[in-house]
């Protein structure tokens, strides 16, 4: 059950971040300032789901790993520290500041510089989560194959 919670929370986090990035890029490239403000509002609301999702992902991952060490587990632990720092120290403050600037109608050079940084940091976040996802799938490959083999023989 813990594995399902971990995988589900991690997958949801990746979907949310990908959605934030996609909505941001579409609005910035194709739509108007009103749409940008709506996206910034939606991202702030989505962060209220993303933060607990990330906490569940990290907590369940540490619980699943227990005291074990392997190159894959150690890489995942290291990435999770980077993911947490990037999220709390860069992405969260940028989301708040970008919303405040958009709400005030301040679509200036600073706004677009912060927007570019948010897209870059969000892309890094998504890439780090994807690598953890990949490593998790590799770590559980033999278990998934055994389960699939059991179902084929039934």
């Amino acid at each position: 059950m813990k594995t399902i919670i971990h995988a589900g929370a991690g997958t949801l986090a990746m979907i949310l971040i990908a959605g934030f990035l996609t909505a941001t890029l579409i609005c910035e490239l194709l739509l108007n300032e009103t749409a940008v403000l709506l996206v910034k509002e939606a991202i702030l609301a989505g962060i209220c789901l993303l933060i607990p999702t990330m906490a569940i992902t990290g907590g369940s991952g540490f619980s699943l790993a227990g005291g074990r060490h392997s190159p894959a587990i150690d890489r995942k632990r290291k990435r999770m520290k980077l993911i947490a720092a990037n999220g709390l120290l860069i992405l969260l403050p940028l989301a708040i500041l970008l919303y405040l600037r958009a709400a005030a109608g301040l679509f200036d050079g600073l706004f677009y510089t912060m927007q570019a940084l948010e897209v870059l940091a969000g892309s890094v976040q998504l890439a780090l989560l994807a690598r953890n996802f990949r490593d998790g799938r590799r770590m559980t490959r033999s278990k998934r194959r055994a389960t699939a083999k059991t179902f084929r023989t039934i």
Side-chain angles (χ1 to χ4, degrees), residues 13 16-17 20 39-55 86-88 90-99 118:
L16 286 168
I17 293 168
F20 296 165
V39 165
K40 295 304 163 197
E41 273 182 34
I43 288 172
L44 279 182
I47 286 172
C48 294
L49 177 60
L50 179 61
I51 290 173
T53 301
M54 291 298 297
N86 187 31
L88 294 174
I90 298 172
L91 288 167
L92 180 59
L94 280 172
I96 294 166
L97 291 171
L98 284 165
Y99 166 74
E118 183 186 50

Side-chain angles (χ1 to χ4, degrees), residues 27 31-41 102-103 105 107:
C27 279
L31 301 175
N32 59 26
E33 293 174 352
T34 303
V36 172
L37 175 58
L38 290 173
V39 165
K40 295 304 163 197
E41 273 182 34
F107 295 97

